[in-house]
Amino acid sequence: MKHVRLVPSLAAALALAVGAGPARAAPGVAPAQMDRELLEAGVPQLQHYYATHRYTVAQVVDWYLARVQRYNGIYRPLEQVFAAQARAAAARADAEPAGTARGPLWGVPIVIKANTSIAGAVTTAGWDGYTIPGHELLAPRDATVVARLRAAGAIILGHSNMPDFANSDTNRSSSFGRTGNAYDVRFSPGGSSGGTVTAVTANLAMLGNGTDTGNSIRMPAATSALIGVFPTRGLVSIAGIAPLDWLLDNTGPIARNVTDAAIALSVMAGEDPLDPVTQGSAAKAQPGPYTRYLKADALKGKRFGVPAFILQGVGIPFHGVPAAVPEAVALRQAADQANPLDPRTRAAFLRALDELRAAGATIVMDDSVLPETFARSAMRISTYGYVREGTDLFLREFGPAQYHSAAEYERVTGAPLGAAVIGAEPGNAVFRDAAVQGKDLGVVQRAIESDPDAEANLYGPRRRTLALYLETLDRLHLDGFVYPAIQMPPVDETLPQDNRVTEGPHSATGWVNMLGVPAVVVVGGFYPGGLPFGLEFSGRPWHDGDLLGIAYAWEQATHHRHPPVLVERGLLPDAP
């Protein structure tokens, strides 16, 4: 289903998205002034500018759209640009009577990942099969997080590019193409939220949402000097987000600073009847707004453990391994998916640990801190047998009029949905036992609610692995874990990796999704070549505020972030 022709409405949006004409200054404002004052401004500073009438919302939106027009054709983070809608929303905001109550993101320009439903827009999820003329996945309404962001006053500038179905560690899509890293367009911004991170770090938007099935908020944030938040699963609804694996998927904010991320998470969080996992979250979660937890001295006296299995490069298979698969086969799959820690990343991580100590924290590096046995337990949290159910549930509520299931999609288009989201990928759907010739174990797609093996495949292993995680925190009196967000620096996509087109960079953090515990990536510094290094913290379930406090204290102690220097001429016009 490659090389499909885009529908006129989507084609028009893409034409604007890839145009790189001259920037248009906001009327009545010196462009240099806006460049200086808005380049690294955060939400509180922007709200101050609005409150003091320094800028109108229309002026700010025009400034952002001018940057999109100038740079999107080079870095290609935005698949669709909603310029007319954004300007109309800005005009409505400016026309509000004085004294009108304003939400915490009033007038803040944002981007939304292309797998997250926006009413009236095509949810491409990066896949050309959702853009077939006459059969587009046109969203009937907003995803829950989009509705919450709009209600808080945010203005959506566009849909950010992503790899097909979010199923990659880099950012190449069949529906739009490649996104480059804002710090060097030749390098990968990571996946699958690479479009959002490039847009946000280059300030083509103030913040955005990412989604994360195995690392896809946190790993891209690490490549691009950003804050990426993976909330406790159930704190934020995933209803309206096209799933990769609905039992691992999550969504959270991506921002240039922790304060903005905390404001956005406060808006995004909340119970939702369309996402049963969120039910009861209000009673379990630390109360918002999450800015209340941001204290500059929050690292003093804290204790962090370094997971031994990450430093050792022990692999945990994506989607896990079913209980019926023999241990030898499971271990071989884990070995195939393992990624050793690059010496450059190890050196950057050790420097970051020294900075943590200087800020008053204690680091516990011990072989008993989440050892290989923890990884082996997590490996058995198996979710792939239920991915088709997640796809069907999404299409039932957020599919277009023509199809509301994977089966209906195939009937309408004459071709199946992508293998990744219907449970048909050979590497995940079939486990081959080399010890017994001809014996293959197929992963059968089932409904989790009625599957008699769900306890053995998912609930039991998750419960046992979470107990190991919490036991380590308690035994060593830890406030959380700290580790590199990815196992290597961002990769140069002009060069092959492992003798093939690069599929990286890669991480060892999918266990966070398997457990549903909160994690946050901060700017950990920069490699000698100038690309960012990302540091990740994880903590106790439902203690998202405490985790953001740790991230804020790190940010205030280090001030590592600096914006990228953007180029105005593309370096890879023919990149795949």
Side-chain angles (χ1 to χ4, degrees), residues 134-155:
H135 304 305
E136 306 86 4
L137 204 173
L138 194 68
R141 61 185 185 279
D142 287 341
T144 300
V145 291
V146 172
R148 290 182 185 276
L149 290 163
R150 281 197 208 265
I155 295 178

Side-chain angles (χ1 to χ4, degrees), residues 240-318:
I241 296 174
L244 173 55
D245 182 335
W246 66 305
L247 299 176
L248 301 176
D249 293 340
N250 204 353
T251 187
I254 293 171
R256 288 190 298 277
N257 62 71
V258 178
T259 300
D260 287 2
I263 293 170
L265 183 62
S266 301
V267 168
M268 297 168 75
E271 297 185 18
D272 177 14
L274 290 177
D275 184 352
V277 183
T278 66
Q279 299 307 301
S281 62
K284 293 180 282 190
Q286 289 182 310
Y290 292 106
T291 48
R292 71 171 67 184
Y293 302 96
L294 308 187
K295 297 180 174 57
D297 62 352
L299 285 173
K300 291 181 179 177
K302 294 292 191 299
R303 290 170 56 85
F304 300 103
V306 177
F309 84 93
I310 291 181
L311 297 186
Q312 295 163 1
V314 175
I316 300 176
F318 187 38

Side-chain angles (χ1 to χ4, degrees), residues 258 295-300 352 354-361 522-524 537 549-561:
V258 178
K295 297 180 174 57
D297 62 352
L299 285 173
K300 291 181 179 177
D354 286 340
E355 290 181 287
L356 274 172
R357 295 184 184 101
V522 296
V523 188
F537 296 93
I550 288 166
Y552 180 79
W554 166 267
E555 177 183 73
Q556 298 307 303
T558 59
H559 295 286
H560 280 310
R561 177 177 162 81

